[in-house]
Amino acid sequence: MPIFFILVTLVIDAIGFGLIMPMMPALIRDVSGADLAHAAIWGGVLATVFGLMQFLFSPLLGNLSDRFGRKVVLLTSLAILAVDYLIMAVAGSIWLLFLGRIIGGITSASHSTANAYVADISAPEDKAANFGMVGAAFGFGFVFGPSLGGLLSTFGPRVPFYVAAALAGANFFFGLFVLPETVTDKIRRPFEWRRANPLGAFKAIGKLPGLQGLMVVFLIYEISFFVYPSIWAYFTLEKFAWDERMVGLSLTVFGLSMAFMQGVAIRPILRKLGEAKTTMLGMGLNVLSFLLLAIAPSGWMIIALTPLSSLGIIASPAIMGIMSRAASDDQQGELQGLTTSLAALGMLMSPIVMTQTFFFFSHEGASPYFPGAPFLFAAVLMAAAMILFAATQPKTSVAAE
């Protein structure tokens, strides 16, 4: 089945991405000589520039995939991603890491192109559940990535980046031989520069009924949910004195739970509640888990909260299912490019805000001292997304069951 190939591709891709997450604080400190709090700021800057490039270029790549096909865009992205990991592996300065994040952000089309691929082969009623499978594949990769990164960290902070480069390269060759193309002449759409940018894509997609409000909800959701990769390593190191191996283990537990929720649990939830109620449930659970994480007094408690935290991810594929059903077949690449661009905008905004919030409440002499402050802020944002989503419901008949 074609979906099997794309899911396996995403698993391998996610392993490479998750592999480096536990090591970013150590690598930043190695090349900059900064303490942990200041390394968190640099981590926010690097994540922000990655998000900025992804925001600017994702609509371009989405439109290119509508014109030339999903496979060529995906494989090109993966090839350059392997080079990006090598740049980060040999980086001797923070500015070379900066360059690596620029390159990685420009070519990070794999997830959006995979979503467009899944939309191509899915019946309208199956889109949300299949988007959940895409998320599950990424989460399943996280089961192996962070734990492997933690183990490899014993050989040095750069070793995981070399392994990530090798995995990205292997992923490229796997897709080259087994991934069939889904864009046919029937749904191929001419490339237009005026639509190949975030504003142009938003204008084109925003003309579809009900989508403008949903895209704003999706953006706020992404800003809020991105608190996890933005500050997790710094938060757990600061509050619970975890080492890289423990950070990797915690991300593994989260990845396993997230894979189960999106790959298994979401289907009966969607059948029972439908897309709109599933979205509200997921966002409500996120608010609760963020509040509990902010005040958790011990490390074992945040591990225990993992199933609750990961269940909140069901909101994302439900929202994407609603939006995908509203778009035509020849706009799926453009839509997924735009949603990736919005996610990238969230990636751009969230790290800089969350890491600055973390720094303000956790640096030496901070008053009050409250490392969990970013999670509290994320809870407020998620609650705002819930209110806005509820307000859009009369206009989004596509979400009605």
Side-chain angles (χ1 to χ4, degrees):
M1 294 176 58
I3 195 170
F4 171 78
F5 297 138
I6 202 71
L7 293 178
V8 172
T9 299
L10 279 171
V11 168
I12 298 174
D13 193 29
I15 290 174
F17 181 74
L19 194 68
I20 69 172
M21 286 183 64
M23 294 311 304
M24 283 304 293
L27 183 60
I28 293 171
R29 295 175 73 177
D30 182 49
V31 301
S32 67
D35 60 22
L36 183 63
H38 287 86
I41 293 178
W42 271 115
V45 171
L46 293 175
T48 296
V49 73
F50 183 93
L52 177 60
M53 295 300 102
Q54 196 176 50
F55 168 71
L56 293 174
F57 285 88
S58 287
L60 171 63
L61 296 172
N63 276 270
L64 287 173
S65 77
D66 280 339
R67 172 63 181 87
F68 297 104
R70 317 297 184 208
K71 184 174 181 177
V72 64
V73 174
L74 178 61
L75 294 183
T76 301
S77 172
L78 293 175
I80 301 180
L81 182 62
V83 176
D84 176 50
Y85 285 140
L86 286 176
I87 290 175
M88 297 179 70
V90 302
S93 69
I94 196 70
W95 302 112
L96 197 53
L97 286 181
F98 193 82
L99 175 63
R101 290 294 77 193
I102 290 176
I103 295 173
I106 291 173
T107 61
S108 59
S110 57
H111 201 75
S112 63
T113 308
N115 281 334
Y117 192 102
V118 170
D120 290 342
I121 64 175
S122 300
E125 64 273 14
D126 294 329
K127 288 181 184 289
N130 286 343
F131 285 139
M133 291 180 64
V134 170
F138 203 81
F140 188 70
F142 261 65
V143 172
F144 300 101
S147 59
L148 182 58
L151 291 173
L152 291 173
S153 68
T154 59
F155 300 100
R158 299 176 186 270
V159 172
F161 293 88
Y162 284 111
V163 176
L167 286 173
N171 194 11
F172 168 84
F173 286 106
F174 176 76
L176 183 65
F177 290 107
V178 304
L179 195 65
E181 181 56 70
T182 59
V183 175
T184 64
D185 290 339
K186 182 179 179 181
I187 65 172
R188 195 181 307 275
R189 183 171 55 82
F191 180 81
E192 300 177 71
W193 280 107
R194 63 183 178 85
R195 298 171 67 159
N197 63 83
L199 293 179
F202 185 87
K203 183 178 180 180
I205 295 295
K207 293 178 180 178
L208 299 175
L211 276 186
Q212 285 189 345
L214 285 174
M215 286 188 287
V216 175
V217 170
F218 185 76
L219 173 60
I220 299 174
Y221 173 89
E222 289 294 316
I223 295 172
S224 177
F225 199 81
F226 205 76
V227 68
Y228 287 114
S230 295
I231 59 100
W232 186 260
Y234 308 100
F235 169 70
T236 53
L237 285 168
E238 175 67 26
K239 188 168 184 179
F240 307 118
W242 286 0
D243 58 16
E244 285 83 4
R245 180 174 295 188
M246 190 61 193
V247 172
L249 176 62
S250 67
L251 290 171
T252 298
V253 173
F254 186 83
L256 181 61
S257 299
M258 187 174 68
F260 174 80
M261 297 305 174
Q262 293 196 97
V264 179
I266 192 171
R267 289 183 181 272
I269 293 174
L270 282 168
R271 284 196 299 265
K272 180 69 174 180
L273 301 180
E275 292 168 342
K277 291 180 180 178
T278 298
T279 300
M280 289 294 287
L281 173 64
M283 290 193 291
L285 291 172
N286 279 321
V287 171
L288 177 60
S289 62
F290 289 154
L291 292 174
L292 293 175
L293 286 169
I295 62 175
S298 59
W300 72 264
M301 290 187 67
I302 66 172
I303 295 294
L305 283 170
T306 297
L308 177 65
S309 302
S310 61
L311 184 55
I313 196 66
I314 62 175
S316 180
I319 295 174
M320 292 179 66
I322 295 172
M323 291 192 291
S324 182
R325 287 167 59 184
S328 62
D329 290 343
D330 65 354
Q331 288 183 294
Q332 292 299 323
E334 182 176 38
L335 173 62
Q336 299 306 328
L338 181 57
T339 57
T340 299
S341 188
L342 292 174
L345 184 58
M347 186 188 299
L348 187 158
M349 299 172 67
S350 186
I352 204 70
V353 172
M354 299 302 179
T355 55
Q356 289 286 349
T357 302
F358 175 81
F359 173 77
F360 185 80
F361 287 98
S362 66
H363 69 84
E364 185 176 354
S367 181
Y369 176 79
F370 184 37
F375 286 109
L376 182 60
F377 182 54
V380 174
L381 289 177
M382 190 66 73
M386 288 183 68
I387 294 171
L388 180 58
F389 181 78
T392 66
Q393 286 311 286
K395 302 178 182 179
T396 54
S397 58
V398 72
E401 313 326 299

